[in-house]
Amino acid sequence: PLAGASATIRLHPSMQIIRCDSSHDPTWNEFVQTSPQASFYHRAEWRTINKRCLGHESAHLGAFEDGRLVGVLPMVRLKSLLFGNLACSMPFVNYGGPCAESADTTARLLEAASTVADEWGVDYLEIRSQRHLGDRYPSSDHKVSMTIALDPDPDVLMAAFKRDQRAEIRRAAKNGFVTKFGPELVDDFYAVLSASWRELGTPIFNISYLKAVLAAFPGATRICVVYDANGVPAAGAFDGIHNGTVEGMWLGMRSDYRRQLVGYVLYWELVKHACEMGCRMFHLGRSSKDSGGEQFKKKWNAETLQLYWTYMLRTRPDLPSLNPDNPKFRLAIKAWQKLPLAATQLIGPFIARSIP
């Protein structure tokens, strides 16, 4: 078993799988920066964020061959009385999974992840991957990601939208909304996100989590808030930026402004800003397959990519269903929607830390 940081699992004569610690962070991030399989969510800084803000143990598995890092797989343990003992790569964000230079290295990382899962005694390990990881482990295909190919000139994208979509964007722009960007807007963004998640029946994490992400990734995050004519925050988004791709992490809007098409204002300003930043792709986040969210994102000419939730099941025969669509959470969701907003902000972090 892995006793701690920097412990080694020998799975192949010429390869070592290391449980990396902070001393490996520069090498880890250099690999993530250059790997076409890696994303913002594979960055080493998430280990510290998840530990300090949420109290979760992580295992950042690095595959070294002849002293060179050739693959990574980050995973986090979530243990609670409410939802049991589980592991995820990666929780609270869109995806994770292994990134490697070869299929063989991917297989070795998965074997090492299984060893860590055994050490932690988890019920299961959920690996949120952008790629199918083979037939050895069961997987679910209920999630998709939506990505817009950007252009240096946002008007090129506008011209490519369907006529009705352009009309909705222009109609929304006439409703007096004002859009701002900047990390100083984090409090206003949290206010919008809290209200939005309360309406969905979803527990909210503490604002300190968002502030920790901002502090860990200076220059690689952006916050956007849309205000009404009276200066009230109506919608907002919190994104990461990695290798020319904007990663949509968290987004919310107050239901009072839906009829005023605040969602169209927010999305267009996000797209336009990403173009002006010189980014090449805008990943709008994941959606449930055939959901309203997927259909709305398709209006922005976003292409669909299948995601694969792969599972290593240890104590259960069936795939877990820890999501809002599970009927057993229906009453809890309805009760949460009726709580005062301040109560959800107070209680929410104790629950949200355990929901991957």
Side-chain angles (χ1 to χ4, degrees):
L2 291 179
S6 296
T8 302
I9 311 174
R10 297 185 183 275
L11 295 167
H12 193 272
S14 64
M15 183 177 295
Q16 292 182 332
I17 306 295
I18 305 293
R19 186 166 171 174
C20 296
D21 58 25
S22 58
S23 68
H24 299 96
D25 285 359
T27 302
W28 180 288
N29 280 340
E30 183 179 354
F31 177 84
V32 168
Q33 189 70 23
T34 57
S35 171
Q37 296 179 354
S39 71
F40 183 72
Y41 312 119
H42 289 90
R43 292 277 299 265
E45 290 88 343
W46 290 105
R47 182 181 60 249
T48 300
I49 293 170
N50 284 316
K51 181 63 176 179
R52 290 183 179 175
C53 297
L54 305 172
H56 295 319
E57 180 181 2
S58 296
H60 277 208
L61 303 177
F64 288 83
E65 198 163 36
D66 298 325
R68 188 173 67 89
L69 186 61
V70 294
V72 300
L73 198 169
M75 54 190 289
V76 181
R77 182 188 188 186
L78 296 83
K79 188 175 183 180
S80 70
L81 294 175
L82 283 175
F83 304 110
N85 185 17
L86 59 98
C88 183
S89 177
M90 287 286 287
F92 318 115
V93 293
N94 286 315
Y95 40 75
C99 304
E101 293 183 356
S102 69
D104 179 64
T105 302
T106 295
R108 306 298 175 186
L109 285 167
L110 291 174
E111 290 176 23
S114 179
T115 299
V116 175
D118 289 341
E119 174 198 329
W120 285 345
V122 296
D123 298 325
Y124 62 88
L125 165 61
E126 178 182 80
I127 301 174
R128 300 172 172 179
S129 177
Q130 293 179 286
R131 298 172 292 117
H132 192 268
L133 299 178
D135 298 325
R136 180 177 178 181
Y137 307 104
S139 65
S140 170
D141 61 357
H142 67 294
K143 293 291 185 180
V144 295
S145 69
M146 310 293 294
T147 303
I148 301 173
L150 302 175
D151 190 277
D153 183 358
D155 289 339
V156 171
L157 297 186
M158 177 69 83
F161 295 148
K162 292 182 178 179
R163 182 176 61 183
D164 290 347
Q165 176 75 351
R166 295 197 300 270
E168 291 287 72
I169 295 171
R170 294 187 180 108
R171 188 157 69 93
K174 298 177 182 178
N175 290 328
F177 292 112
V178 175
T179 305
K180 298 180 181 179
F181 287 87
E184 69 278 3
L185 306 176
V186 62
D187 292 311
D188 287 348
F189 169 71
Y190 186 73
V192 171
L193 194 68
S194 298
S196 178
W197 283 21
R198 194 267 304 269
E199 292 167 4
L200 295 171
T202 302
I204 187 77
F205 39 69
N206 196 285
I207 192 173
S208 62
Y209 177 69
L210 295 179
K211 291 182 177 179
V213 175
L214 287 174
F217 302 106
T221 51
R222 70 170 183 177
I223 293 180
C224 173
V225 177
V226 179
Y227 298 85
D228 71 7
N230 297 314
V232 177
F238 190 122
D239 299 333
I241 304 165
H242 176 80
N243 276 356
T245 295
V246 177
E247 283 285 348
M249 293 194 289
W250 302 291
L251 181 148
M253 59 190 74
R254 298 181 189 270
S255 59
D256 299 349
Y257 296 95
R258 291 187 188 276
R259 290 187 177 181
Q260 296 172 258
L261 304 177
V262 69
Y264 284 87
V265 174
L266 176 63
Y267 269 79
W268 173 242
E269 292 296 333
L270 290 172
V271 169
K272 185 171 66 171
H273 186 261
C275 291
E276 293 167 348
M277 290 171 60
C279 293
R280 300 184 302 274
M281 307 293 289
F282 183 8
H283 175 233
L284 301 180
R286 68 175 190 258
S287 300
S288 295
K289 190 182 291 185
D290 300 322
S291 66
E294 180 186 5
Q295 298 308 312
F296 180 76
K297 292 171 184 178
K298 282 184 175 179
K299 294 181 178 181
W300 301 88
N301 291 339
E303 292 190 8
T304 302
L305 173 69
Q306 181 65 59
L307 298 176
Y308 299 92
W309 268 215
T310 301
Y311 294 91
M312 295 182 185
L313 304 174
R314 299 186 67 261
T315 65
R316 54 185 299 156
D318 56 331
L319 298 185
S321 183
L322 190 56
N323 61 71
D325 299 326
N326 190 329
K328 77 176 187 178
F329 298 130
R330 194 169 294 150
L331 290 178
I333 289 173
K334 288 183 178 179
W336 195 264
Q337 291 169 329
K338 296 177 181 178
L339 289 176
L341 185 60
T344 67
Q345 293 175 332
L346 181 64
I347 304 169
F350 296 100
I351 303 172
R353 66 178 296 278
S354 303
I355 305 175

